[in-house]
Amino acid sequence: MSTRSNETKKPPSLVQVEELRVDGRLECDTETVASDNAALAALGYKQEFKRAFGPLAVFAFSFSLAGIFPSIATVLIFALPYGGPVSMVWGWAIAVFFIFFTGLALAELASSAPTSGGLYYWTWDLASPRWRNLLSWIVGCEYTNCMGLVAGFASVEWGLSVQIMAAVTIGTDNSFVPTTAQTFALYVALLIVHGIFSSLATSAIALLQTLYVLVNTLLPLAVVIAMPIATPKEFKNTAAYAFGAFTTCAGWPDGFAFVLSFLAPIYVISGFESSIHLSEEAHNARTAVPWAIVRTVAISSLIGWAINIVFAFCMGTDLESIIDNPIGQPTATIFFNSFGRNGTLALWSLVAFAQYMVGANALTVASRQMFAFARDRGLPFSGFIYRMNKRTQTPVNAVWVSAFIAFLLGLLVFAGPTTYSAIFTISLAGQYTAFAIPMASRFLGGKKWVPGPFTLGRFGLPVTIVALMWMAFAMVILAFPARPGPTAKSMNYMVVVYCGWIGLCLIYYYFPVYGGARWFRGPQKTLEGADGVVLERAFA
């Protein structure tokens, strides 16, 4: 075990980590405090979940939720029209570089205060006393309830539904073209199946993570190896084309089209904070959770880059035929050209299975965060949502409330593709808003910062500044339409939905008599020490 010494000073490093003993106790200076349960108690919460996630399972959960290959399969349409190979390869590399800063800043917060409430708890704890109730309300209400996690879960489920229907179209030689109603029916069935899964005991969910991480690692590896071998010569590209060809068919100027290609990695490398919401179910949470964040971003970025390079070499040069193919899925079209009908069906079934895993974990995360905010009485019907099933020790009510909200969001597909795409982008806008507020509060709130075992040291401020600037930039490009000069049907309504939801949060907060300003006081202490006094933080 490592200990700090007042006599020996080590040169600064970007990441400093204090180890945890095997028995789960941590050492801060020369003072030893109880580990996971006591760390949670120091934040004022009693232990209600069963801690069944080891460090590997925490990483596997986070990495599986990223779902690198099925996510790329879903959002390749955001890279192909905006520069083709150059955007796929170099646009990806630039974007993930800045996303990594976001992961580092978030990991440092996660190590300091490991709780399922994470983002809104940190906001309340670190923000100015004048603003912390309102800011914590916005982060919790906006990100926890719908706009972030539940909207993200809904978009994953819809993407899975489209992928399954694409497989049916390929299997019937394009004779079957699904209607919106048929795809929505499949979407509802998936919500029910995943609701059942997320209601299982924590130990059962944790056990499945090993399978999930294997699939999400071996599937990209198989594609990277097999695709160059199987692709016919007419679809193989030269290195000059794969790394240097710039082709845009979206109507934007070349420079701005390249910037819009950042949308693909922004969509794919998201959800990496999911391990935060397992903090109360994880062993050694103060190190396991932050390292799960960092490793998920790093490994997903590298695997995603490799996949994009292989695609650039093996997709041919007719991008418009890939985008407009009747299959309705650019990645499936590329597979069809490389592997043929049967090979594509076999591979695509694995892609859909991997996406299924993403959906299962996405609902689990959404329910845990909803449970945490209901515990602090921040949601309507908090008394109903904040209930732990005695048999499974999981928040079953929060699971089904999350699934029901996703069902309501899914109804928007009948209003047209642009309306639903707004929900897809709003999950990311909400996510970045919820990341930015506690990050900024750490330095602007005036409270003394108490780091956890994972700390950036003196690099914490510059890393956070870069992360905040990147997220502000990303939110701007998320608001742009797919093509210039949009009509009412092709307009990106993200700003409308985003501002509307923030407006609803504020109305609910300031509503006369019944508004949150009258009763919301941030995190509610649920545990008292043996002497009747809430335990104080001891993380110095």
Side-chain angles (χ1 to χ4, degrees):
M1 176 184 296
S2 64
T3 57
R4 297 173 181 163
S5 172
N6 294 327
E7 300 177 357
T8 304
K9 293 186 178 180
K10 297 180 180 180
S13 62
L14 182 60
V15 177
Q16 303 166 358
V17 177
E18 297 174 7
E19 297 178 354
L20 295 179
R21 292 220 305 250
V22 175
D23 64 1
R25 298 180 68 85
L26 56 88
E27 184 173 83
C28 301
D29 293 332
T30 58
E31 181 181 7
T32 302
V33 294
S35 65
D36 296 312
N37 293 356
L40 184 62
L43 303 180
Y45 294 125
K46 64 182 179 181
Q47 182 67 38
E48 298 182 82
F49 288 94
K50 181 180 179 180
R51 292 189 180 271
F53 281 82
L56 177 60
V58 174
F59 163 71
F61 187 95
S62 181
F63 180 69
S64 298
L65 184 59
I68 184 67
F69 194 85
S71 296
I72 288 178
T74 300
V75 304
L76 189 62
I77 189 63
F78 294 111
L80 281 176
Y82 302 121
V86 164
S87 294
M88 292 168 62
V89 175
W90 303 117
W92 178 279
I94 292 172
V96 297
F97 173 78
F98 290 104
I99 293 172
F100 189 68
F101 282 82
T102 305
L104 284 173
L106 205 61
E108 192 173 30
L109 288 169
S111 183
S112 175
T115 169
S116 295
L119 299 164
Y120 77 85
Y121 180 94
W122 305 332
T123 299
W124 191 89
D125 187 46
L126 298 171
S128 163
R130 179 181 178 183
W131 298 107
R132 64 184 185 181
N133 282 346
L134 175 60
L135 291 176
S136 179
W137 173 273
I138 291 174
V139 171
C141 183
E142 170 198 350
Y143 182 64
T144 302
N145 196 21
C146 282
M147 276 196 14
L149 291 174
V150 179
F153 166 62
S155 65
V156 168
E157 294 291 81
W158 185 255
L160 175 57
S161 301
V162 172
Q163 288 176 357
I164 294 174
M165 288 303 188
V168 177
T169 300
I170 294 172
T172 59
D173 295 323
N174 297 337
S175 64
F176 172 79
V177 178
T179 64
T180 300
Q182 290 169 331
T183 307
F184 181 76
L186 178 58
Y187 171 85
V188 173
L190 290 170
L191 291 179
I192 295 172
V193 171
H194 281 143
I196 295 171
F197 171 87
S198 295
S199 299
L200 295 175
T202 299
S203 56
I205 298 174
L207 283 174
L208 290 171
Q209 301 310 311
T210 301
L211 170 64
Y212 288 5
V213 77
L214 285 174
V215 172
N216 278 285
T217 302
L218 296 179
L219 176 59
L221 182 62
V223 171
V224 168
I225 294 173
M227 200 165 183
I229 298 173
T231 302
K233 289 184 178 180
E234 60 266 28
F235 292 108
K236 287 186 177 180
N237 298 320
T238 64
Y241 181 86
F243 291 110
F246 188 91
T247 304
T248 177
C249 50
W252 291 106
D254 289 354
F256 191 68
F258 180 77
V259 169
L260 287 179
S261 74
F262 295 168
L263 291 172
I266 289 172
Y267 284 130
V268 174
I269 312 298
S270 62
F272 51 82
E273 88 295 350
S274 59
S275 56
I276 294 169
H277 311 303
L278 295 180
S279 294
E280 297 177 30
E281 301 172 72
H283 296 292
N284 293 341
R286 299 181 72 215
T287 53
V289 170
W291 275 113
I293 294 172
V294 172
R295 288 166 179 157
T296 295
V297 176
I299 295 175
S300 296
S301 298
L302 292 174
I303 292 176
W305 196 45
I307 293 170
N308 278 290
I309 291 174
V310 170
F311 279 179
F313 272 98
C314 301
M315 67 183 181
T317 58
D318 190 355
L319 300 187
E320 291 190 5
S321 68
I322 296 174
I323 296 170
D324 298 329
N325 193 279
I327 292 174
Q329 236 287 348
T331 306
T333 301
I334 293 172
F335 282 173
F336 188 85
N337 293 337
S338 295
F339 298 105
R341 176 178 174 272
N342 293 335
T344 298
L345 286 174
L347 191 58
W348 201 247
S349 63
L350 294 177
V351 173
F353 179 62
Q355 183 82 341
Y356 173 85
M357 299 174 187
V358 175
N361 284 353
L363 179 55
T364 300
V365 169
S367 65
R368 271 43 173 184
Q369 183 72 329
M370 182 171 286
F371 171 87
F373 200 48
R375 175 175 59 189
D376 294 325
R377 303 171 189 174
L379 294 173
F381 311 108
S382 288
F384 172 77
I385 298 172
Y386 173 48
R387 290 183 184 176
M388 186 72 70
N389 184 280
K390 294 181 179 180
R391 182 176 180 180
T392 63
Q393 288 186 271
T394 53
V396 173
N397 289 5
V399 168
W400 289 103
V401 169
S402 299
F404 179 71
I405 295 173
F407 166 78
L408 296 178
L409 290 175
L411 293 172
L412 292 172
V413 299
F414 294 104
T418 55
T419 305
Y420 192 77
S421 68
I423 303 301
F424 199 22
T425 54
I426 205 65
S427 66
L428 292 163
Q431 181 186 72
Y432 276 7
T433 301
F435 290 176
I437 292 176
M439 286 181 190
S441 296
R442 171 188 164 183
F443 295 98
L444 301 177
K447 182 175 181 179
K448 181 181 178 181
W449 168 249
V450 183
F454 182 103
T455 175
L456 302 176
R458 68 179 64 176
F459 296 98
L461 178 59
V463 166
T464 300
I465 290 174
V466 173
L468 290 172
M469 292 176 65
W470 163 254
M471 289 187 288
F473 173 75
M475 288 183 65
V476 171
I477 64 175
L478 281 169
F480 274 83
R483 295 177 181 272
T487 64
K489 296 186 76 173
S490 63
M491 182 61 188
N492 184 344
Y493 290 97
M494 188 276 283
V495 172
V496 177
V497 178
Y498 178 83
C499 293
W501 185 256
I502 294 292
L504 288 175
C505 288
L506 294 175
I507 290 172
Y508 185 26
Y509 185 77
Y510 288 111
F511 197 81
V513 181
Y514 301 103
R518 273 71 180 171
W519 46 265
F520 181 70
R521 295 296 179 266
Q524 303 294 302
K525 307 300 181 182
T526 62
L527 180 70
E528 293 186 345
D531 58 356
V533 179
V534 175
L535 295 173
E536 297 293 334
R537 292 184 67 181
F539 297 156

